[in-house]
Amino acid sequence: MLKLRPKETASMLTRDRVRLDADIYRPEADEPFPVLLMRQPYGRAIASTVVYAHPAWYAAQGYIVVIQDVRGRGTSEGTFKLFAREIEDGEDTVNWAATLPGSTGQVGMYGFSYQGMTQLYAAAAKPSALKTICPAMMAYDLYADWAYEGEAFCLQANLGWALQIAAETARLNGDVAAHQSLTAAAKNLTFSESVPTHSELLKTLDPDSFYHEWLEHFEPGAYWEQLSPSSYLHDVDLPMLHIGGWFDTFLRGTMRLYKETATRSRYRQQLLVGPWAHLPWGRKVGAIDFGTQASSPCDRLQIRWFDQFLKGINTGLLEEPPIALFEMGSNHWRTFDQWHTPNPKPYFLVSTGLACMGDREGTLTPTPHTPHPTPDSLVHDPWRPVPAHGGHAAVPSGPQERSSLDCRTDVLTYTSEPVAEDLHLVGDVAVSIACTADTPSFDLCAILSEVHPNGSVYNFAQGYLRVNPGEAADPLHIHLQPTCICIAKGNALRLSLSAACFPAYPVNAGTGALADKTRLIDQQIITVTVISGGDHPSHLLLPVLK
């Protein structure tokens, strides 16, 4: 490791003459070094250290590291408007960083979440100095990967983050009262207003928040296309290191970007997915300790990546398989030459009609041996909606013990026989559910879990879908989070179905009213009927690795 000079603070001007400030970490040496750039909105001193090593560590590996406050954040000038100027500002910053004293003129970017988004926006402008990026846990399609899932608004995540952003704005403005109120609201989310998706506090203290716009724009269209990186990256080609987590709320975005880019790129596209939620990236996730190998390898991997693509050092990366996935259950990393896309193995739902009453009444079986359709009814009561518990969309996230939830009579459960040998699942997971409801609109949440012989149940993949009036609802196709897991010999699989997952997503009123127009008083009791057996049997599609 190299000795470092004292940290510097430097400023640049954007094309419209707005000053952006950055901290710079550099080795104490006369030779030139490539630049590693991170652009983020939380105050540059944080520098994503919730998941990455401190930028000083990166600099000591032989890099000039630049951590910049985006427009209107930290000490940078201008007005912060979510993602509105990140393409132009990103391009200007890359060009500025490339000309810093002691720079080789080669720039790479890293960072997760918002800092992953700023990499994509900067790459969209194709600045010649930007040679590689390492986007982690971000949205490619802003509508489908972040704001909504299965056309359902991601309520808890979106409101919590909007309040956090608004609190930071109040802090920068020196508004003590607003900062205190917004901070308290962000850390203690409530959904008890007449319209549960509304926050009068946010509307009053941050009327221009993105949150209000996201609620209003409930369908994909021009609004989202203008903001989404997916609209600008179709002809951008760079070496990319894609980093995700099996319980990260943005895994859809990581996988969407990786799959699209890997099919067309001339350059190395490398994928690493750990067992992590959005943060932190460690061995303990939710209620499970995944062991020492689950500790993040990302810092050392990124240095190898940047050495390869910014310094031209043969690090051996290109001789290794491009995909590394953490296999939960066995708790070790597995490598692959390509994303696993098998012919999925179906497991069919079979029931006595009492799948909501006991865990032996509904089963998962590889063979559909029930010729006659059997209905299972679940009654969703908005007074006591099925709560979110773990997974990728709720806080706290990750795998959680959910046997008490599966005992509820508004949750249908279908459980397989204990597996006769270790069952390895790697890839995309989906369900096809034949069902109806007695209201024009309803939701369906699908959760896949591992059941242990002692009765404990731990979720590992989840999906959600909102069915709007007039949409075909028979069968429903729900895409769950992809996975890589070993179901141990003697354990079983379970599919749990419910009509709510609150407050991860708003409670569906049943009327078809939009989430931002649905009043608490309008919420109805909904009966959802799931059909097993018959000519078009409901089934689970699993990516079994043989």
Side-chain angles (χ1 to χ4, degrees):
M1 293 178 65
L2 300 175
K3 185 178 179 180
L4 301 185
R5 297 178 183 176
K7 180 183 71 176
E8 310 165 22
T9 297
S11 302
M12 57 157 279
L13 293 177
T14 64
R15 63 192 68 184
D16 59 341
R17 313 302 292 173
V18 172
R19 191 195 77 241
L20 304 182
D21 298 332
D23 288 337
I24 301 178
Y25 304 80
R26 62 171 71 237
E28 190 176 81
D30 293 332
E31 62 184 287
F33 296 100
V35 176
L36 303 185
L37 171 64
M38 178 190 295
R39 306 188 62 247
Q40 57 90 59
Y42 301 111
R44 61 185 182 271
I46 295 174
S48 289
T49 50
V50 290
V51 294
Y52 295 115
H54 193 273
W57 181 85
Y58 279 85
Q61 314 307 312
Y63 290 91
I64 299 171
V65 182
V66 178
I67 312 295
Q68 185 189 66
D69 289 326
V70 300
R71 179 183 295 241
R73 300 279 95 176
T75 62
S76 289
E77 292 180 337
T79 300
F80 179 72
K81 176 71 172 174
L82 194 67
F83 306 136
R85 293 299 300 261
E86 300 298 10
I87 293 178
E88 296 88 346
D89 288 356
E91 180 183 22
D92 293 347
T93 301
V94 167
N95 291 335
W96 168 76
T99 61
L100 287 171
S103 164
T104 62
Q106 310 240 26
V107 178
M109 295 184 73
Y110 75 107
F112 88 119
S113 198
Y114 195 103
Q115 298 83 264
M117 301 289 286
T118 55
Q119 296 177 62
L120 303 187
Y121 291 119
K126 301 181 183 177
S128 60
L130 184 61
K131 303 302 182 182
T132 184
I133 60 176
C134 298
M137 296 188 177
M138 44 79 245
Y140 187 47
D141 180 322
L142 192 59
Y143 174 81
D145 301 336
W146 187 327
Y148 289 78
E149 179 180 356
E151 298 189 33
F153 187 65
C154 297
L155 175 59
Q156 187 176 29
N158 290 337
L159 181 56
W161 192 57
L163 288 165
Q164 178 188 350
I165 291 294
E168 175 63 7
T169 301
R171 188 189 71 83
L172 294 173
N173 293 337
D175 190 332
V176 175
H179 179 262
Q180 184 172 354
S181 297
L182 290 162
T183 298
K187 294 182 178 181
N188 300 277
L189 288 180
T190 59
F191 305 92
S192 57
E193 298 191 20
S194 60
V195 177
T197 58
H198 285 187
S199 168
E200 287 303 317
L201 180 68
L202 186 65
K203 192 70 173 178
T204 300
L205 297 179
D206 193 2
D208 297 324
S209 171
F210 71 91
Y211 180 83
H212 315 303
E213 294 183 1
W214 284 15
L215 260 178
E216 292 170 2
H217 293 86
F218 55 90
E219 293 180 319
Y223 172 84
W224 298 104
E225 291 169 3
Q226 184 177 2
L227 290 174
S228 290
S230 57
S231 298
Y232 304 100
L233 292 177
H234 295 301
D235 59 348
V236 172
D237 196 7
L238 292 170
M240 298 186 194
L241 171 59
H242 308 257
I243 298 172
W246 296 129
F247 298 97
D248 175 45
T249 188
F250 302 132
L251 181 59
R252 300 186 302 281
T254 297
M255 293 308 306
R256 201 185 305 265
L257 174 64
Y258 169 75
K259 289 177 179 179
E260 179 180 304
T261 309
T263 59
R264 62 172 175 79
S265 179
R266 299 171 295 162
Y267 299 106
R268 174 82 164 192
Q269 301 298 315
Q270 187 157 325
L271 174 68
L272 180 140
V273 186
W276 315 304
H278 197 55
L279 63 90
W281 302 349
R283 59 183 286 172
K284 184 69 181 290
V285 185
I288 293 183
D289 185 341
F290 286 105
T292 56
Q293 288 198 36
S295 297
S296 171
C298 295
D299 293 307
R300 288 189 173 90
L301 176 59
Q302 287 188 147
I303 288 299
R304 287 184 70 196
W305 183 267
F306 290 131
D307 283 352
Q308 181 79 48
F309 292 103
L310 295 180
K311 293 183 177 180
I313 299 172
N314 183 2
T315 64
L317 270 180
L318 302 185
E319 285 74 54
E320 297 174 4
I323 297 177
L325 307 178
F326 188 89
E327 184 179 68
M328 300 176 286
S330 64
N331 295 347
H332 69 269
W333 292 92
R334 300 191 63 160
T335 58
F336 301 89
D337 290 323
Q338 60 186 6
W339 180 250
H340 187 224
T341 53
N343 292 321
K345 181 177 178 62
Y347 279 73
F348 297 92
L349 281 59
V350 178
S351 178
T352 65
L354 294 173
C356 62
M357 301 305 295
D359 58 13
R360 297 183 180 181
E361 305 291 347
T363 59
L364 287 174
T365 174
T367 55
H369 57 68
T370 306
H372 303 294
T374 302
D376 274 310
S377 296
L378 67 86
V379 179
H380 157 72
D381 182 355
W383 184 262
R384 53 186 298 275
V386 175
H389 186 57
H392 66 275
V395 179
S397 52
Q400 303 287 347
E401 208 291 310
R402 58 170 285 119
S403 57
S404 61
L405 280 184
D406 283 350
C407 287
R408 291 173 58 120
T409 56
D410 52 358
V411 177
L412 302 176
T413 59
Y414 304 87
T415 309
S416 73
E417 292 293 323
V419 297
E421 57 185 17
D422 289 355
L423 177 66
H424 299 271
L425 306 178
V426 182
D428 298 313
V429 182
V431 294
S432 177
I433 304 296
C435 66
T436 59
D438 62 353
T439 54
S441 179
F442 66 98
D443 290 4
L444 202 62
C445 178
I447 295 177
L448 194 57
S449 305
E450 182 175 15
V451 183
H452 295 254
N454 65 1
S456 60
V457 183
Y458 293 92
N459 57 290
F460 64 86
Q462 177 177 325
Y464 201 85
L465 184 67
R466 171 149 295 190
V467 180
N468 295 311
E471 294 181 345
D474 191 14
L476 291 179
H477 298 288
I478 305 175
H479 296 281
L480 284 66
Q481 295 272 97
T483 195
C484 181
I485 188 170
C486 173
I487 305 299
K489 176 181 177 181
N491 292 354
L493 286 165
R494 174 175 293 171
L495 177 67
S496 303
L497 300 176
S498 64
C501 183
F502 179 77
Y505 314 92
V507 172
N508 191 327
T511 63
L514 303 177
D516 68 331
K517 301 292 191 300
T518 298
R519 300 179 303 170
L520 189 63
I521 198 172
D522 297 328
Q523 293 177 353
Q524 299 181 11
I525 295 172
I526 302 173
T527 300
V528 177
T529 301
V530 172
I531 306 298
S532 57
D535 295 333
H536 303 286
S538 297
H539 58 278
L540 169 68
L541 293 171
L542 291 180
V544 175
L545 182 67
K546 296 181 180 179

